Amino acid sequence: MKTLIVANWKMNPVNQKEAKNLFEAVKRGIKSVKNTMPAGRQVEVVICPPFVYLNLLKGLTLGAQNVFYKEKGAFTGEVSALQLHDSKVKYVIIGHSEARKYLNETDDVINKKIKECLHEKLKPILCIGETAEEKKIGKKAEVLEKQITEDLKGIVTKEIKNIVIAYEPVWAIGPGDNCSIDETMSSILFIRKVIFKLYNRAISDNIRVIYGGSVDGDNANSYIKNAGANGLLVGGASLHAEEFLKIIRSVK
Ligand code: PGA
């Protein structure tokens, strides 16, 4: 299984020039990393810029940061999976805590978005995670189980292999506290347990579960090596080409 490193640029950078510069710097760096990579150890890098930059950036795998659940029509301000597919997008971040918070995305809407992406052969990166408050009152497991169950409702065994789950404890995103390696490991195991309950052993063993939340060049490798994450979803650190490349180099 390739290690998946996803850059979530969020609503950055502020202009096309900066977006192109960042993308090209990452692209150049990845080329040199690939030349030194040991055979058999592969890293898949996905860049998720704001929609407006998608068609400017070429030469690395692209992801989108959100999507709408209808194919086309009178849905002002929205972008469809069909349109993303046409823009050569391969992955779509769905259910990010910022979309749950600022756009009031519900599990029902997230479920529809996942289904629409699968229909258009896009790979959803489903973000789940508990808030600081939910963790404090001991509801982490309940929250994760509810999100997984409702977000994946109606998605059948043969489709699930195209889904990536990103465990993103909300309290660890941005300048928040780091989630310890032990806690990340136990959350990832719990996520696999829920997938086992909903599907089967093979799916639970093989589904990609990545980690996101204050990852940088210094801690990235521990999340892969010691916490058992199959990859990383990187926010802030992905806006600095050198730091992002450090993450890629450290996990290869
Ligand atoms: P962060 O963001 O790396 O800045 O914590 C991660 C995310 O929100 O995907």
Side-chain angles (χ1 to χ4, degrees):
M1 190 188 294
K2 285 188 190 174
T3 302
L4 183 66
I5 308 292
V6 184
N8 177 11
W9 287 2
K10 307 194 177 183
M11 205 164 68
N12 301 292
V14 292
N15 60 48
Q16 297 186 10
K17 189 166 174 258
E18 283 181 35
K20 276 189 197 162
N21 286 345
L22 173 58
F23 189 83
E24 291 304 321
V26 170
K27 200 161 92 182
R28 275 193 306 276
I30 287 175
K31 254 194 193 153
S32 62
V33 175
K34 283 215 164 129
N35 291 338
T36 60
M37 204 174 288
R41 188 69 204 265
Q42 292 183 57
V43 179
E44 182 178 6
V45 178
V46 180
I47 310 289
C48 303
F51 290 129
V52 285
Y53 302 142
L54 281 170
N55 289 312
L56 302 174
L57 310 175
K58 298 196 185 338
L60 291 173
T61 304
L62 291 174
Q65 295 175 21
N66 210 337
V67 66
F68 194 56
Y69 54 79
K70 295 281 190 181
E71 192 174 75
K72 60 177 179 176
F75 304 102
T76 303
E78 300 296 342
V79 174
S80 73
L82 182 64
Q83 291 165 330
L84 291 176
H85 184 92
D86 185 57
S87 290
K88 313 282 182 265
V89 163
K90 296 273 181 284
Y91 287 86
V92 185
I93 295 171
I94 298 180
H96 192 280
S97 59
E98 285 149 17
R100 291 181 192 256
K101 180 175 171 190
Y102 298 115
L103 307 176
N104 297 319
E105 277 193 4
T106 61
D107 289 306
D108 179 49
V109 163
I110 290 163
N111 176 251
K112 286 186 181 136
K113 290 183 172 189
I114 293 177
K115 286 179 176 158
E116 185 59 19
C117 281
L118 292 170
H119 181 68
E120 294 301 337
K121 310 258 179 296
L122 299 176
K123 292 178 195 284
I125 300 172
L126 166 63
C127 299
I128 57 166
E130 78 286 359
T131 63
E133 181 58 22
E134 287 160 346
K135 175 176 147 81
K136 198 169 132 204
I137 57 174
K139 289 213 158 168
K140 176 169 102 172
E142 192 184 316
V143 167
L144 294 180
E145 180 152 11
K146 178 176 179 291
Q147 288 177 339
I148 298 169
T149 308
E150 293 185 8
D151 297 347
L152 298 182
K153 198 166 162 192
I155 291 161
V156 298
T157 307
K158 71 175 187 335
E159 297 171 311
I160 198 85
K161 65 176 186 301
N162 293 317
I163 294 178
V164 177
I165 296 183
Y167 173 56
E168 296 215 310
V170 181
W171 48 271
I173 291 176
D177 298 333
N178 268 85
C179 186
S180 72
I181 298 301
D182 280 357
E183 187 168 354
T184 305
M185 184 168 64
S186 85
S187 297
I188 290 176
L189 287 173
F190 179 75
I191 290 166
R192 292 199 187 281
K193 208 166 106 186
V194 175
I195 295 290
F196 174 65
K197 218 156 97 180
L198 294 173
Y199 295 92
N200 58 47
R201 165 69 60 200
I203 299 232
S204 130
D205 286 348
N206 292 319
I207 190 164
R208 286 190 289 182
V209 184
I210 66 175
Y211 170 75
S214 303
V215 173
D216 60 27
D218 294 327
N219 62 21
N221 193 35
S222 315
Y223 286 105
I224 308 286
K225 227 175 107 195
N226 305 325
N230 303 123
L232 302 164
L233 181 51
V234 186
S238 73
L239 297 172
H240 306 281
E242 254 327 298
E243 188 68 24
F244 188 56
L245 289 164
K246 192 173 163 192
I247 292 173
I248 296 169
R249 274 187 233 111
S250 78
V251 307
K252 87 178 174 56

